[in-house]
Amino acid sequence: MAQAQRAFIFDMDGTIVDNMAFHTKSWLAFFERRGRALDADAFFRDTAGRQGHEIMRLYMGDHLTKEASAELDAEKEALYRELYGPHLETVPGFDQLIATAQADGVALAVATAAPNDNIVFTLDGLDLRKHFKAVVGAADVARGKPNPDVFLLAAERCGVAPEHCIVFEDAPLGVEAARRAGMRAVVLTTTLPAEAFAEFDNVICVARDFSELNIAELFAAEIN
């Protein structure tokens, strides 16, 4: 079988599933337990796409050991899964888009800042893992978004050059990571309005959900 020459790389949280409000709620509840009130909008802007341990150190201090951070991460993510579990479903149009992409020979990958437990919760909970040639998470790279590591590793595992990959994202830090990886990006406005992405020159399309997207048009837009 010929190696795929094109790939779609999907962020998971806020992109495959519309769950970022639940992540934010769980973070706010986590910090509220510790007597700290945070602004939800500012917190999302500063953290979406970052790994859990990066967020912990950002808000709780660089003194945190790796072990202490891991314990706190586990508490927060368990709270998130409890809140979001009853609502777990894909964003409209996702299942049809990936079916069409696979039929067209497009390699599919997930590149997320999520820990493995959340990847299992989402991808296996929705029986999606079988569709992806690569699944890259927080445990696979040292740095979260806006660093490009997670997208570059996904492309490498798919055997597709970065310039032939299109990233699907819902957060500015993720779009910036795609830009640094040399990849074009499709923005879903599940979490933020289109205006939040106006500064990025690698955005080729903005959509409410996957049902608005046309694969041929996306790859045509990728080529200047």
Side-chain angles (χ1 to χ4, degrees):
M1 183 179 293
Q3 187 179 52
Q5 296 300 308
R6 305 179 298 173
F8 283 164
I9 303 178
F10 298 90
D11 170 52
M12 188 177 75
D13 292 333
T15 302
I16 295 176
V17 290
D18 187 4
N19 63 344
M20 289 310 296
F22 292 92
H23 266 300
T24 300
K25 287 178 183 177
S26 63
W27 274 114
L28 296 182
F30 172 86
F31 283 113
E32 187 176 343
R33 289 177 178 178
R34 290 156 176 81
R36 185 168 182 179
L38 299 177
D39 177 78
D41 291 339
F43 180 82
F44 176 82
R45 287 194 304 271
D46 293 340
T47 63
R50 296 189 188 277
Q51 297 180 3
H53 71 90
E54 294 173 323
I55 297 172
M56 291 295 178
R57 291 173 68 87
L58 180 65
Y59 282 84
M60 301 185 73
D62 291 339
H63 66 280
L64 274 183
T65 65
K66 184 177 181 180
E67 293 74 19
S69 179
E71 186 174 333
L72 293 170
D73 285 348
E75 176 188 341
K76 181 268 164 188
E77 297 306 341
L79 181 57
Y80 152 71
R81 291 190 295 272
E82 178 183 345
L83 289 172
Y84 183 57
H87 309 279
L88 182 62
E89 63 179 354
T90 55
V91 167
F94 176 78
D95 301 300
Q96 182 58 53
L97 181 85
I98 63 171
T100 303
Q102 286 181 304
D104 288 347
V106 179
L108 305 178
V110 173
T112 174
N116 188 61
D117 284 349
N118 285 4
I119 294 172
V120 170
F121 168 76
T122 300
L123 297 188
D124 296 331
L126 293 168
D127 194 27
L128 293 174
R129 191 183 294 266
K130 62 189 177 186
H131 298 295
F132 298 106
K133 188 170 184 179
V135 175
V136 181
D140 298 302
V141 294
R143 305 181 302 173
K145 305 166 188 176
N147 295 293
D149 309 31
V150 70
F151 291 135
L152 291 173
L153 183 55
E156 179 183 332
R157 290 182 176 177
C158 286
V160 178
E163 62 267 25
H164 298 305
C165 297
I166 294 177
V167 167
F168 296 79
E169 264 286 354
D170 72 307
L173 289 179
V175 175
E176 172 61 15
R179 187 191 66 79
R180 295 184 189 184
M183 300 176 184
R184 301 267 179 171
V186 172
V187 168
L188 296 185
T189 55
T190 50
T191 310
L192 291 173
E195 304 84 72
F197 303 89
E199 67 184 272
F200 296 103
D201 59 5
N202 62 321
V203 173
I204 57 173
C205 182
V206 178
R208 290 175 298 177
D209 59 44
F210 293 99
S211 67
E212 297 184 351
L213 303 176
N214 177 283
I215 291 174
E217 290 177 358
L218 293 180
F219 279 111
E222 187 192 22
I223 302 171
N224 288 324

